[in-house]
Amino acid sequence: MAAKMDKHELNEPDKLQLFFLRIRAFAGKHRARIYAGGGIFILIALLAGGWYLYRVNYQAGAGKIYNQIIEAAAKAGSPAGDAAAIKEYTDLISRYPRSRAAVTAYYRLGNLYFGRREYDAAISAYQDFLRNTSAESDLMTLAYSGLGASQEAKNDLNKALESYDLAMKTRAAPSFEALNYSNIARIYETKKDSVKAAEFYRKALEKTTDPLMTLYLKRKLSILG
């Protein structure tokens, strides 16, 4: 049997009803502030949403142009299409400087300039890539290697050695150990440090599975003695 309610409980106002009445009174008293706060919230939400859509379209636009440049360069071939690709990558960077495509374009420019033996331009492009890319990028290893090769071509051996050493410290370095060790060995060989050169040629030999690379490294070691 349900418990009987006494007279006091029957006459007591409903607590939930009182709660909503208080909210209504508060809303009526502070209506202007509530409207203003709601308007600010909506404005912030619209701005955030608009910025997100802008960034999505910005990155998509840059990526589309980047892919078009890659396709055109592949059709034209090298060196025939190199000059056009350099111009188009430079335009892409100018139009979409904060895009992921622009960052990768710096790396592509470095490779193109290196192929044309424009070593100062290659160094600048590789450095721009390394300044702007993420530390997680697998291209960092190759960019440092390209930078080192450009510096080596200018006979700036100390800077080249530094760049090759930095290539060894990148996230993707284990995939390119034979190449990086061989690059370092070559610098020491040029510097007439045969002991260090042989040390790094041996390290490269331990890491390579390429028959031609193996033959090259064994020949280098036989020469160094």
Side-chain angles (χ1 to χ4, degrees):
M1 178 180 291
K4 293 183 179 180
M5 297 179 67
D6 59 29
K7 188 174 181 180
H8 174 73
E9 288 175 293
L10 288 170
N11 292 329
E12 185 178 3
D14 185 271
K15 292 180 179 179
L16 185 59
Q17 184 180 6
L18 284 175
F19 175 73
F20 283 116
L21 285 172
R22 286 170 184 160
I23 290 177
R24 185 176 177 182
F26 178 85
K29 184 177 180 180
H30 301 283
R31 184 174 300 168
R33 292 182 182 178
I34 292 171
Y35 287 163
I40 292 171
F41 175 80
I42 292 170
L43 179 60
I44 291 172
L46 288 172
L47 288 173
W51 176 249
Y52 172 78
L53 290 174
Y54 167 76
R55 291 300 301 170
V56 168
N57 290 329
Y58 182 88
Q59 296 290 351
K64 183 178 179 180
I65 293 172
Y66 177 85
N67 290 334
Q68 289 171 346
I69 298 171
I70 291 288
E71 291 174 5
K75 288 179 182 178
S78 182
D82 290 353
I86 287 172
K87 181 182 182 305
E88 289 166 358
Y89 281 131
T90 304
D91 289 344
L92 169 62
I93 292 167
S94 178
R95 289 179 60 190
Y96 297 92
R98 296 180 303 280
S99 67
R100 292 184 294 271
V103 175
T104 310
Y106 282 123
Y107 171 75
R108 296 286 183 182
L109 281 173
N111 292 345
L112 290 167
Y113 283 128
F114 182 83
R116 290 159 63 94
R117 299 184 180 182
E118 297 178 28
Y119 300 121
D120 286 328
I123 289 169
S124 179
Y126 285 130
Q127 288 174 336
D128 283 334
F129 171 78
L130 291 165
R131 272 194 296 268
N132 289 282
T133 195
S134 164
E136 301 301 310
S137 173
D138 289 340
L139 291 177
M140 282 191 75
T141 304
L142 296 175
Y144 274 121
S145 294
L147 177 60
S150 301
Q151 292 162 334
E152 183 181 355
K154 294 187 64 179
N155 205 37
D156 197 341
L157 300 182
N158 290 331
K159 285 187 178 179
L161 187 59
E162 181 182 347
S163 295
Y164 290 142
D165 184 60
L166 288 170
M168 293 294 298
K169 298 174 182 177
T170 57
R171 192 176 74 93
S175 300
F176 301 95
E177 283 182 312
L179 173 65
N180 289 329
Y181 284 136
S182 178
N183 288 337
I184 292 171
R186 190 174 60 252
I187 295 296
Y188 280 121
E189 185 179 10
T190 305
K191 290 165 70 73
K192 309 299 182 184
D193 190 337
S194 57
V195 174
K196 277 287 188 181
E199 175 189 343
F200 281 94
Y201 278 133
R202 288 192 194 96
K203 288 182 178 181
L205 185 59
E206 290 172 2
K207 297 297 180 179
T208 189
T209 57
D210 183 349
L212 291 177
M213 183 72 163
T214 298
L215 183 63
Y216 165 79
L217 293 171
K218 285 182 176 179
R219 187 177 298 154
K220 281 290 186 182
L221 286 168
S222 67
I223 292 171
L224 290 171

